[in-house]
């Protein structure tokens, strides 16, 4: 029954890896991506960076050349950031939005033509419970996930007539390694937050 093709970004660890393994065990054909794919998994891992348009196009083309379809896209790739708004360099903020927000948008734009052609598809954006509230010292992360929540809501209405469904999944705290790749603002001695 589950011969559907699933494409998961950020599938090398954490929620993405767990989701990929679970869906594979249920019989879905799973393709996962990561900037540095590693490990021996029951699903195929593809090198891809959601911040690199060529990388996205190559990964999508590769899966379509093998499967002729992408039934489900799970936008899971993401990075965290901590620090006061005042102390966080704007470049660090942009890096988080490039991955968590614009990366997810680029992925959706890349698969929507195929899903329209198929007259069906499902996109699941992994946001966060943090997207519903401004968390102190995590405001930029909250903002990136909140922005994706709103885009998902709007896009869901835009593509509904094409048979494409879009949803958010907003998990709370899980024991993953997201902190290992988190952008952390260094507190300077003269900072008001030191």
């Amino acid at each position: 029954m589950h011969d559907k093709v699933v494409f998961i970004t950020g599938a090398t660890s954490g929620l993405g890896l767990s989701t990929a393994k679970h869906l594979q065990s249920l019989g879905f054909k799973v393709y996962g991506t990561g900037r540095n794919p590693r490990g021996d998994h029951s699903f195929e891992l593809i090198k891809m960076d959601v911040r690199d348009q060529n990388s996205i196009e190559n990964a999508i083309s590769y899966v379509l050349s093998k499967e002729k379809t992408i039934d489900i896209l799970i936008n899971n790739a993401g990075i965290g950031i901590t620090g006061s708004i005042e102390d966080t360099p704007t470049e660090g903020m942009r890096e988080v939005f490039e991955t968590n927000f614009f990366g997810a948008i680029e992925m959706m734009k890349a698969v929507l033509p195929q899903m329209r052609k198929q007259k069906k598809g499902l996109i699941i954006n992994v946001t966060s419970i943090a997207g519903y509230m401004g968390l102190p010292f995590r405001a930029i992360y909250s903002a990136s996930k909140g922005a994706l929540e709103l885009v998902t809501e709007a896009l869901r209405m835009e593509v509904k007539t094409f048979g494409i469904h879009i949803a958010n999944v907003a998990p709370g705290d899980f024991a993953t390694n997201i902190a290992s790749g988190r952008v952390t603002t260094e507190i300077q001695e003269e900072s008001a937050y030191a």
Side-chain angles (χ1 to χ4, degrees):
M1 175 191 164
H2 295 301
D3 54 351
K4 292 185 188 269
V5 176
V6 181
F7 191 102
I8 305 177
T9 67
T12 56
S13 64
L15 293 177
L17 177 58
S18 295
T19 302
K21 287 179 175 178
H22 179 67
L23 291 175
Q24 183 78 26
S25 76
L26 294 176
F28 289 89
K29 180 69 179 180
V30 176
Y31 289 87
T33 72
R35 287 179 291 177
N36 301 300
R38 61 196 177 278
D40 185 21
H41 303 293
S42 57
F43 60 92
E44 187 170 351
L45 270 173
I46 305 165
K47 184 175 178 64
M48 191 197 82
D49 187 337
V50 297
R51 300 168 302 175
D52 180 335
Q53 190 63 42
N54 288 333
S55 174
I56 292 170
E57 289 171 11
N58 291 338
I60 297 291
S61 294
Y62 172 75
V63 173
L64 288 176
S65 72
K66 289 185 75 173
E67 304 295 340
K68 310 297 185 237
T69 184
I70 295 175
D71 299 296
I72 301 167
L73 166 66
I74 301 175
N75 271 319
N76 174 70
I79 58 174
I81 184 168
T82 59
S84 72
I85 293 171
E86 195 175 357
D87 289 334
T88 301
T90 303
E91 191 51 46
M93 297 178 189
R94 286 193 178 105
E95 183 181 343
V96 170
F97 267 84
E98 284 297 328
T99 300
N100 296 358
F101 180 69
F102 292 111
I105 288 175
E106 291 302 326
M107 287 302 307
M108 291 186 284
K109 287 168 66 175
V111 301
L112 281 170
Q114 178 64 34
M115 288 182 172
R116 255 195 320 277
K117 185 176 162 187
Q118 297 165 186
K119 298 186 171 136
K120 63 182 170 125
L122 172 63
I123 298 172
I124 299 170
N125 290 325
V126 179
T127 59
S128 172
I129 196 168
Y132 295 107
M133 65 195 88
L135 297 174
F137 304 101
R138 286 194 168 90
I140 303 308
Y141 178 77
S142 291
S144 70
K145 293 300 189 173
L148 185 56
E149 291 270 349
L150 292 174
V151 163
T152 303
E153 182 179 352
L155 187 59
R156 179 179 52 81
M157 292 181 268
E158 291 177 12
V159 300
K160 185 178 180 182
T161 59
F162 303 118
I164 301 166
H165 302 278
I166 304 183
N168 284 320
V169 174
D173 281 338
F174 281 87
T176 69
N177 65 345
I178 190 170
S180 66
R182 183 180 287 153
V183 177
T184 303
T185 303
E186 289 188 31
I187 302 289
Q188 302 300 317
E189 203 173 299
E190 65 276 9
S191 170
Y193 304 95

